[in-house]
Amino acid sequence: MRTILFILLSFLFINSSYSQDNDLRKMSRKQRKEYLCEKAKEVTINFAPTYYREHGKPKIEGTFRFKSRYPEDSLLIDRKYYIVTLPYDPKKDIKDYKIRFVSKVYIWEDNGEPLKIKFSHGMSWLFYGTGTGHTYNERVKKGIKEKDQMKLIDPDDYGPNVID
């Protein structure tokens, strides 16, 4: 029984120390900016590799408070997060985007993990939902299947009048 208790306590300690390492509140402004940009790039490459562009500087928006009308999200209410916007390249991407970004990655302030990625066309991946297998780390550990990744479609591949 003591062995099981020791293992559980060790696991909790390791888990809590890991999340404290990425606590954005404890980082300097420079460290936080670097971390947020790298994490946004990583998430975009993992879930939409054909969307990612080395173009322009990511825009980091200030902290926001999580809001939800769903009871299952009650533990997350008022938790702070950042939004990192990766710009699109007008020379390589479709010129008719109404929204001028490739992706927006929402990152928790307290542990540095993504809670959501949103793409310019409106599709999103949500990464919150404790114990459901939907967190970013859980998805990455399982392996991201190619069928789950967003892909850009080249209108030339489908002939005329397919995409207006």
Side-chain angles (χ1 to χ4, degrees):
M1 184 65 177
R2 286 185 183 190
T3 306
I4 294 171
L5 183 61
F6 176 76
I7 292 170
L8 286 173
L9 288 174
S10 299
F11 177 74
L12 288 172
F13 176 74
I14 290 169
N15 233 10
S16 67
S17 65
Y18 170 76
S19 65
Q20 289 173 357
D21 289 343
N22 295 324
D23 187 340
L24 302 178
R25 299 169 295 192
K26 296 179 181 176
M27 293 182 184
S28 70
R29 178 176 272 165
K30 182 180 178 184
Q31 288 174 317
R32 184 171 45 247
K33 182 179 178 180
E34 288 173 6
Y35 180 87
L36 288 167
C37 291
E38 282 302 311
K39 185 57 87 170
K41 177 180 173 181
E42 172 192 316
V43 174
T44 301
I45 289 172
N46 276 332
F47 285 89
T50 60
Y51 276 57
Y52 180 74
R53 303 277 189 262
E54 280 287 342
H55 175 75
K57 291 182 180 179
K59 179 184 174 192
I60 300 171
E61 299 179 37
T63 56
F64 299 88
R65 291 188 182 275
F66 186 85
K67 305 215 180 313
S68 177
R69 63 178 179 248
Y70 301 107
E72 59 269 19
D73 296 339
S74 62
L75 294 176
L76 304 174
I77 300 294
D78 287 335
R79 193 171 167 195
K80 291 183 180 179
Y81 62 91
Y82 287 87
I83 300 174
V84 182
T85 303
L86 299 179
Y88 90 122
D89 185 351
K91 294 176 185 165
K92 293 182 181 178
D93 296 319
I94 299 170
K95 308 249 185 304
D96 295 334
Y97 276 176
K98 291 188 178 25
I99 305 170
R100 304 281 187 214
F101 64 90
V102 169
S103 66
K104 287 188 178 209
V105 181
Y106 298 62
I107 300 173
W108 292 120
E109 180 186 50
D110 59 357
N111 67 5
E113 289 305 313
L115 68 115
K116 175 181 170 180
I117 182 171
K118 179 180 180 181
F119 300 99
S120 56
H121 54 63
M123 294 287 291
S124 298
W125 278 98
L126 298 176
F127 303 119
Y128 60 88
T130 52
T132 60
H134 297 295
T135 66
Y136 176 75
N137 284 335
E138 290 168 339
R139 285 182 189 249
V140 170
K141 279 181 191 174
K142 286 181 189 174
I144 303 160
K145 296 178 179 72
E146 190 175 339
K147 71 178 182 68
D148 293 332
Q149 293 176 334
M150 299 292 225
K151 301 213 177 14
L152 283 174
I153 298 172
D154 186 353
D156 295 336
D157 291 344
Y158 295 95
N161 301 325
V162 175
I163 300 175
D164 294 355

